[in-house]
């Protein structure tokens, strides 16, 4: 059974989700308007964050916060803080695509110890707590058991306009195309990590994510028996430049494949004129 901490996180997520479900229906109607739904979605995001903050504060008033919209707030208990994304998959939400989630992680002494990722339209609550395991609603989850790269389906995120890392991404996706059964990009890193934990994906990688994108998902994957590191193999940090998550059999070969793609790209670039846009230096340096 979930602990009191998980129950607090679940209750907060479900309460915020009711507003998002209602607002998502309104966004679908706004798609045909001239003004468009962008301002409406921004307010929906902020409204969900206010609900999450209020509910989590009510249950654990001494904890701090790190939230996507309102930033960091230190609590009386400086060892623990909530790391919250009220709407992961905002672009999907904006365009009426039914794939988005609420993500809540609990950090203690600099380490992630609990996580909830709630997908409200399918009523799927992924949750995990350090040492307890990972669950979908009340069903225990394990990462996939696939061991061959040629059978693996991986997920990733694509850098969008104005973000660094395009060339690093293209180098890694090219080698992944050549070595795996397929690549998916659905637009929510929190759900990508939850799907790795559930065995729906065999692995996931991305560059340049924010702490609230990965905080809960890191706990999910680890408690489901998977591995989460950066591309160099060090334990994943919520503020790291890269993240690679996969089942226990494929994590090492997936990480090596991505590194090989980056190194080959570096070799090609050494023989070509330098492009103006380059990856963030710390992605390739490891």
């Amino acid at each position: 059974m979930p602990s009191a901490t998980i129950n607090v996180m679940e209750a907060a997520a479900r309460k915020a989700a009711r507003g998002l479900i209602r607002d998502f229906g309104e966004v679908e109607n706004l798609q045909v308007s001239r003004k468009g739904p962008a301002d409406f979605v921004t307010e929906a995001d902020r409204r969900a964050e206010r609900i999450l903050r209020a509910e989590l504060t009510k249950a654990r008033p001494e904890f701090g916060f790190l939230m996507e919209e309102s930033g960091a707030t230190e609590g009386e208990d400086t060892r623990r803080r909530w790391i919250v994304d009220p709407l992961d998959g905002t672009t999907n939400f904006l365009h009426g695509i039914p794939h988005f989630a609420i993500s809540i992680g609990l950090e203690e002494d600099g380490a992630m110890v609990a996580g909830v990722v709630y997908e409200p339209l399918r009523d799927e609550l992924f949750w995990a707590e350090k040492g307890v395991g990972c669950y979908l609603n009340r069903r225990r989850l394990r990462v996939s058991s696939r061991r061959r790269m040629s059978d693996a389906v991986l997920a990733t995120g694509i850098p969008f306009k104005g973000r660094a890392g395009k060339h690093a991404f293209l180098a890694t996706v090219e080698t992944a195309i050549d070595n795996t059964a397929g690549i998916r990009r659905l637009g929510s890193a929190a759900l990508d990590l939850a799907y790795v934990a559930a065995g729906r994906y065999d692995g996931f990688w991305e560059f340049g994510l924010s702490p609230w994108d990965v905080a809960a998902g890191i706990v999910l994957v680890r408690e489901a028996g998977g591995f989460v590191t950066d591309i160099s193999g060090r334990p994943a940090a919520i503020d790291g430049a890269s993240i690679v998550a996969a089942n226990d059999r494929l994590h090492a070969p997936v990480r090596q494949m991505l590194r090989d793609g980056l190194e080959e790209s570096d070799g090609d670039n050494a023989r070509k004129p330098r492009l103006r846009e380059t990856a963030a230096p710390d992605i390739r340096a490891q």
Side-chain angles (χ1 to χ4, degrees):
M1 296 296 293
S3 68
T5 297
I6 295 295
N7 286 334
V8 165
M9 299 164 79
E10 176 180 357
R14 289 187 179 278
K15 185 167 184 178
R18 290 197 289 270
L20 288 180
I21 292 170
R22 180 188 63 248
D23 292 337
F24 184 70
E26 292 298 320
V27 166
E28 291 181 301
N29 294 331
L30 286 169
Q31 287 297 329
V32 299
S33 72
R34 179 176 300 176
K35 181 179 179 182
D39 292 340
F40 181 88
V41 172
T42 299
E43 182 52 35
D45 200 328
R46 290 173 177 166
R47 183 161 49 244
E49 184 170 288
R50 288 195 295 268
I51 292 171
L52 290 165
R53 179 186 283 272
E55 293 301 307
L56 294 171
T57 299
K58 183 167 60 176
R60 300 289 189 273
E62 68 279 10
F63 288 10
F65 283 92
L66 176 60
M67 310 188 85
E68 182 180 17
E69 300 298 331
S70 56
T73 305
E74 187 170 302
E76 292 180 14
D77 184 346
T78 58
R79 297 176 54 220
R80 299 177 180 88
R81 65 174 177 172
W82 304 111
I83 303 178
V84 178
D85 190 341
L87 178 54
D88 188 59
T90 304
T91 301
N92 286 345
F93 193 99
L94 175 67
H95 289 270
I97 299 170
H99 188 78
F100 56 88
I102 293 168
S103 176
I104 308 171
L106 177 60
E107 183 184 51
E108 182 176 314
D109 295 327
M112 300 308 305
V113 297
V116 161
V117 174
Y118 182 51
E119 201 290 282
L121 298 181
R122 287 186 287 271
D123 192 27
E124 291 193 326
L125 184 87
F126 301 88
W127 62 273
E129 195 165 10
K130 187 177 180 179
V132 176
C134 180
Y135 297 81
L136 170 53
N137 297 329
R138 296 296 183 265
R139 177 170 61 85
R140 183 72 180 261
L141 294 180
R142 291 288 299 176
V143 292
S144 73
S145 59
R146 293 183 185 87
R147 60 182 69 222
R148 295 193 303 181
M149 289 287 290
S150 58
D151 295 330
V153 171
L154 306 183
T156 189
I158 302 174
F160 50 86
K161 183 177 181 180
R163 294 287 294 272
K166 181 177 73 175
H167 295 295
F169 167 76
L170 291 175
T172 54
V173 81
E174 182 176 4
T175 190
I177 288 171
D178 292 338
N179 288 282
T180 67
I183 303 167
R184 301 291 182 266
R185 197 282 189 185
L186 296 186
S188 168
L191 284 174
D192 288 340
L193 288 164
Y195 282 17
V196 172
R200 298 173 182 178
Y201 293 146
D202 303 296
F204 164 75
W205 87 96
E206 193 166 345
F207 301 124
L209 291 171
S210 298
W212 43 82
D213 296 320
V214 301
I218 286 173
V219 188
L220 297 177
V221 175
R222 287 175 176 164
E223 287 299 311
F227 290 91
V228 192
T229 68
D230 66 13
I231 201 165
S232 70
R234 295 173 300 198
I238 60 172
D239 56 354
S242 62
I243 186 168
V244 181
N247 72 33
D248 51 332
R249 295 172 173 86
L250 288 176
H251 183 270
V254 166
R255 190 174 61 79
Q256 188 60 52
M257 174 191 71
L258 298 173
R259 285 174 61 88
D260 290 346
L262 289 176
E263 289 170 4
E264 289 173 11
S265 175
D266 278 340
D268 290 342
N269 286 338
R271 295 187 290 273
K272 297 176 183 177
R274 274 291 177 185
L275 298 175
R276 179 172 296 178
E277 181 182 358
T278 58
D282 55 354
I283 292 175
R284 294 171 184 252
Q286 306 305 328

